[in-house]
Amino acid sequence: MTDRIANPWGERTPFGQGEDWPVRVDQFLEDGVSEEEVDRWVQTASILHSNGDALDIAVKDGRIVGVRGRGEDRVNKGRLGPKDLFGWQANNSEDRLTRPLVRKDGELVEASWDEAMDLIVERSKELLEEKGPLAFGFYTTGQLFLEEYYTMGVFGKAGLGTPHMDGNTRLCTATAAVALEETFGTDGQPGSYADVDHADTICLYGHNVAETQTVLWMRMLDRLEGPNPPKLIVVDPRPTAPAQRADVHLKVKNGTNLALMNALLHELITNGWYDEEYVNANTIGFEDLEQTVMEYPPETAAEICGVDAEEIREAARLIGNAERLLSTALQGFYQSHQATASSCQINHIHLLRGMIGKPGCGILQMNGQPTAQNTRETGANGDLPGFRNWDNEEHVQQLADLWNVDRMTIPHWAPPTHAMQIWRYAEQGSINFLWVSCTNPAVSLPDLPRIRQILQNEGLFLVVQDIFLTETARYADVVLPAATWGEKTGTFTNTDRTVHISEKAVDPPGEAKPDLEILLDYARRMDFRDKDDQPLIKWDDPESTFEAWKECSRGRPCDYTGITYDRLRGGSGIQWPCNDEHPEGTERLYREADFNTQTWNCERYGIDLITGGMNSEMEHKAMNPAGRAIILPAGYLPPHEPPGGEYPFRYINGRTVYHFHTRTKTARAPQLQNAAPDAWVEISPTDAESLSIEEGDMVRVESPRGYMEAKARISGIREGVVFAPFHYGYFDTPEGDSPNGQSPRAANELTITDWDPVSKQPLFKVGAARVTKVADNDGTPAPAPTTTASAPASGGSVSETVGGDEAEVKETVGKQEEGEKGLIDRAKDALTGREE
């Protein structure tokens, strides 16, 4: 096999436009194990990215010993990325959690399952009696199975009755969902991975596909290496692998995406590169869009974005003359300023070109995690399951009838509580019970000094359900040891709506249990009941849970009713909707421009892209979309924390191909950990020279909130921008060796507590920073930096993390919290100023 660390994408299998992507089966087995020695191969798909690569697990003597790709699957045709090939080794790690832990006298000690669950249930019942359902919060993940999310969603909404349920998917895919809802009425990717095979132009908007979805990039690479390769446009401030292959690389300043998108739309309209008949028949809002984007000719956007106006024109020319256009987007748009507004403009480009629902004409508002789509479908992100609208009484009643509960039991008096607000309520003390499952917010959330303080709140009862003792688990009152992928059965859905089954291959270690079993046990012990005094949760294993979910999805855009476990076994994954009308699944949505924007059907009634203000049902009816796509323009506003003065750099963080999230699994795979053992800081040659920084020097990157230190990498990144990977937490080893929880290499020590007004997704890619040299690459110390901000030891107060200005942090959070009034006022002021 090709060295898949040195060459993450493997050997090329070129193919031309409209041809089938050739099969290439990748495989990796543990040293000393041959194919002939494998006892059995067990079907599954990857959970270390959102691509949904299908693979088989090799089992020998009751242990996982390797993997191989499934050549028959539509998603990957047998290919696997580095994390697929090597990440499974974490399952066999000796430091897996094998027994529950409970906190006694300030220490976590082993306990029985009964003792741990009794503590959780006792505290739950006390809080229900004393404070009611609003005392409960659930913060979950994008890595569980559909069956587990649905169970959590049902007992959270119809059992406890709390609206406080969300997950780390808020950090990576919330904007994808909301952008789709705003334009097309409901969530659900219109496109298909197979659109790569047909496209003549591919646009990657803030999407480093080569490192985040390696197999999808393999597909694109094979097209680029084949006959009639597509044109490639990349929007990214960094010189990523796709950027190096691009026909046009727009190296924008982070935080200026919307100005660029408006300029591209300006060029499409002024040059007549749009399908007027399609727009008139199938959309509303074009006139408002035209009026807005006329203020953004390429020269205006060039000044804002820091790119050449002719490059903008060339990108628009390629888009405007494409016959089959594929667009993808990810964190460079979702985690940046005006995230939803920018992402909606991608949808608008396709609507103007009439390029949707046809081969090669796809939109993929990408997900960041393997099962993020399921959190949104099942309601584990707080929304109502089945893409139902929390503000539509008929939708709420459908669920009440399905679950046999009173409609008023299901929270729907206000929007579901988003993740950043959940953490704010925990900080204020109104949430007293927080259940964190399969995620590590002590490393992944923004403004980590604040998060550490919240996790230590005396009035917060913290439950952590995970497979390792993570940085977050060390703060818990109860830690529940969970089974992981390969040790349990369930289903999950990738970015292009392909549903896969993941079968149990081996037993979990020790007393660890599948997440579904843990959640069902909690529901049983809490004795949640329906209106007939029967158990609320009427399923007891993965397949019966899936059947219950199918009924919830019936008749909704994400209809699963034609899918069964048996149909998923043995062959390829199946794309929803799959039902009587579409028995083989559905490769592309909206082929007939049949959008889900009807008032009775849509997932939300619309949100102002600038202020985040929500439309009412009557306002939506007055728009009369009637199944037409909704075009929503927006003007550019500058970010809230621009660089300048003491903090002259724009700071962004992101991912590397060798790690996933906070390295809980990938750091325990030797090949992956050895490839990227520590954090780094990317800086441009010009900026490095001005600071006397050379390759490998130790540098400090500092914001008003905290700092990190890592070795410098001098790259072709845009001048004035610094980048760091966010994966690295407090511990260099599983046992932990960092004093007092201090994390001088965690990228989120610096990030700002701010979020998009529409999707509520935190902004990891805006914020100001400064860079100083700490030591030469030979270890010789540099002159001491004249800075004051520092990362606190565990237990430090908020004021310690920002040089004593506690009021500044609380003011920032408060503005977001109170209806995001501060952002709305700022937007009004900016708009007024522009008009004057």
Side-chain angles (χ1 to χ4, degrees), residues 280-361:
N280 290 339
N282 300 302
T283 73
I284 61 172
F286 174 78
E287 293 79 9
D288 290 339
L289 177 73
E290 183 176 25
Q291 181 179 353
T292 298
V293 302
M294 286 305 110
E295 299 181 28
Y296 296 89
E299 287 74 16
T300 298
E303 184 176 350
I304 294 170
C305 302
V307 297
D308 190 273
E310 289 307 312
E311 291 183 336
I312 297 175
R313 287 194 174 91
E314 176 61 11
R317 186 188 66 79
L318 292 176
I319 293 169
N321 289 279
E323 296 182 3
R324 296 178 184 269
L325 174 68
L326 169 63
S327 298
T328 75
L330 198 56
Q331 312 301 14
F333 269 46
Y334 302 165
Q335 294 179 340
S336 193
H337 182 56
Q338 294 188 284
T340 305
S342 302
S343 300
C344 283
Q345 309 315 310
I346 300 171
N347 302 337
H348 300 163
I349 285 175
H350 280 259
L351 291 170
L352 263 60
R353 296 295 334 276
M355 291 188 178
I356 190 167
K358 298 177 285 188
C361 301

Side-chain angles (χ1 to χ4, degrees), residues 20 49 63 71 84 113 123 154 161 176 252 324 413 440 448 479 532 545 633 669 687 737 757 763:
D20 290 335
H49 48 74
R63 293 178 65 254
D84 302 331
W113 271 100
R123 186 60 180 144
V154 174
V252 296
R324 296 178 184 269
W413 55 85
N440 191 15
L448 288 182
V479 179
D532 297 327
T545 310
D687 293 326
D737 62 1
L763 307 184

Side-chain angles (χ1 to χ4, degrees), residues 425-682:
Y425 289 154
E427 182 177 45
Q428 292 175 319
S430 60
I431 285 181
N432 305 106
F433 178 105
L434 184 61
W435 192 321
V436 175
S437 53
C438 193
T439 186
N440 191 15
V443 177
S444 59
L445 279 172
D447 194 359
L448 288 182
R450 173 174 171 257
I451 298 304
R452 286 194 294 269
Q453 184 68 27
I454 296 171
L455 289 169
Q456 294 175 94
N457 280 359
E458 187 175 343
L460 180 66
F461 186 84
L462 178 65
V463 179
V464 174
Q465 183 174 319
D466 215 317
I467 66 174
F468 294 106
L469 191 64
T470 63
E471 288 90 341
T472 304
R474 293 168 191 264
Y475 291 98
D477 295 285
V478 179
V479 179
L480 301 177
T484 187
W485 165 97
E487 300 165 357
K488 58 182 183 177
T489 295
T491 59
F492 55 95
T493 307
N494 75 348
T495 297
D496 81 340
R497 298 171 285 103
T498 301
V499 184
H500 286 114
I501 191 167
S502 180
E503 303 273 21
K504 177 180 177 180
V506 298
D507 291 329
E511 298 177 19
K513 294 183 179 182
D515 297 272
L516 179 62
E517 187 175 331
I518 296 170
L519 297 171
L520 289 173
D521 186 33
Y522 176 72
R524 179 184 61 79
R525 291 172 185 259
M526 289 295 293
D527 197 27
F528 296 128
R529 296 276 165 169
D530 66 12
K531 287 196 300 187
D532 297 327
D533 201 34
Q534 296 300 307
L536 173 67
I537 306 298
K538 298 175 174 61
W539 46 89
D540 57 10
D541 64 9
E543 190 165 6
S544 62
T545 310
F546 186 77
E547 291 299 315
W549 157 249
K550 284 165 57 177
E551 286 306 307
C552 186
S553 75
R554 185 181 295 277
R556 295 302 298 159
C558 55
D559 195 328
Y560 279 64
T561 52
I563 304 176
T564 65
Y565 270 31
D566 284 343
R567 287 196 66 190
L568 293 174
R569 287 176 170 134
S572 175
I574 301 171
Q575 290 174 284
W576 63 250
C578 180
N579 49 24
D580 291 343
E581 185 179 355
H582 306 284
E584 302 304 317
T586 308
E587 185 156 49
R588 296 173 184 86
L589 303 182
Y590 312 129
R591 182 180 180 86
E592 305 299 327
D594 46 348
F595 305 109
N596 299 319
T597 57
Q598 305 89 345
T599 302
W600 61 266
N601 190 29
C602 65
E603 195 169 353
R604 62 179 66 232
Y605 294 134
I607 304 178
D608 188 285
L609 296 182
I610 297 292
T611 67
M614 290 190 171
N615 292 341
S616 67
E617 181 180 7
M618 292 306 296
E619 288 171 321
H620 191 270
K621 285 181 177 178
M623 290 168 56
N624 191 31
R628 292 171 292 174
I630 300 171
I631 293 175
L632 293 172
Y636 168 76
L637 298 172
H640 303 160
E641 189 177 85
E646 194 176 353
Y647 299 99
F649 285 90
R650 298 173 185 268
Y651 173 71
I652 59 176
N653 67 35
R655 291 151 173 76
T656 175
V657 67
Y658 303 112
H659 284 304
F660 184 64
H661 278 216
T662 64
R663 301 164 51 252
T664 305
K665 298 184 181 74
T666 53
R668 292 168 169 86
Q671 298 86 344
L672 302 175
Q673 176 63 4
N674 292 339
D678 212 342
W680 69 88
V681 172
E682 282 184 32

Side-chain angles (χ1 to χ4, degrees), residues 582-819:
H582 306 284
E584 302 304 317
T586 308
E587 185 156 49
R588 296 173 184 86
L589 303 182
Y590 312 129
R591 182 180 180 86
E592 305 299 327
D594 46 348
F595 305 109
N596 299 319
T597 57
Q598 305 89 345
T599 302
W600 61 266
N601 190 29
C602 65
E603 195 169 353
R604 62 179 66 232
Y605 294 134
I607 304 178
D608 188 285
L609 296 182
I610 297 292
T611 67
M614 290 190 171
N615 292 341
S616 67
E617 181 180 7
M618 292 306 296
E619 288 171 321
H620 191 270
K621 285 181 177 178
M623 290 168 56
N624 191 31
R628 292 171 292 174
I630 300 171
I631 293 175
L632 293 172
Y636 168 76
L637 298 172
H640 303 160
E641 189 177 85
E646 194 176 353
Y647 299 99
F649 285 90
R650 298 173 185 268
Y651 173 71
I652 59 176
N653 67 35
R655 291 151 173 76
T656 175
V657 67
Y658 303 112
H659 284 304
F660 184 64
H661 278 216
T662 64
R663 301 164 51 252
T664 305
K665 298 184 181 74
T666 53
R668 292 168 169 86
Q671 298 86 344
L672 302 175
Q673 176 63 4
N674 292 339
D678 212 342
W680 69 88
V681 172
E682 282 184 32
I683 189 168
S684 76
T686 301
D687 293 326
E689 182 179 5
S690 70
L691 296 169
S692 300
I693 293 171
E694 297 183 358
E695 182 77 17
D697 287 352
M698 183 65 69
V699 299
R700 171 179 288 195
V701 186
E702 195 167 6
S703 80
R705 291 156 292 280
Y707 76 92
M708 67 169 291
E709 292 179 357
K711 291 184 177 180
R713 287 187 185 178
I714 300 175
S715 76
I717 193 170
R718 181 188 175 85
E719 291 179 20
V721 177
V722 288
F723 165 89
F726 87 101
H727 309 286
Y728 299 89
Y730 311 155
F731 307 127
D732 291 314
T733 68
E735 292 75 27
D737 62 1
S738 186
N740 301 318
Q742 189 170 330
S743 182
R745 64 179 188 167
N748 283 325
E749 296 287 346
L750 289 73
T751 41
I752 190 170
T753 300
D754 195 3
W755 54 84
D756 181 68
V758 186
S759 68
K760 318 304 182 188
Q761 183 159 347
L763 307 184
F764 293 94
K765 302 193 190 301
V766 292
R770 62 176 170 233
V771 180
T772 53
K773 181 176 175 177
V774 175
D776 292 337
N777 51 28
D778 62 2
T780 303
T786 56
T787 57
T788 57
S790 62
S794 177
S797 70
V798 173
S799 61
E800 291 173 332
T801 73
V802 294
D805 194 356
E806 182 175 0
E808 178 185 342
V809 170
K810 293 194 172 180
E811 180 185 6
T812 300
V813 177
K815 284 182 180 179
Q816 294 278 9
E817 176 202 12
E818 296 174 6

Side-chain angles (χ1 to χ4, degrees), residues 98 117 196 224 249 255 277 525 552 666 698 794:
T98 59
M117 294 304 293
V196 173
L224 291 170
H249 176 202
E277 182 179 353
R525 291 172 185 259
C552 186
T666 53
M698 183 65 69
S794 177

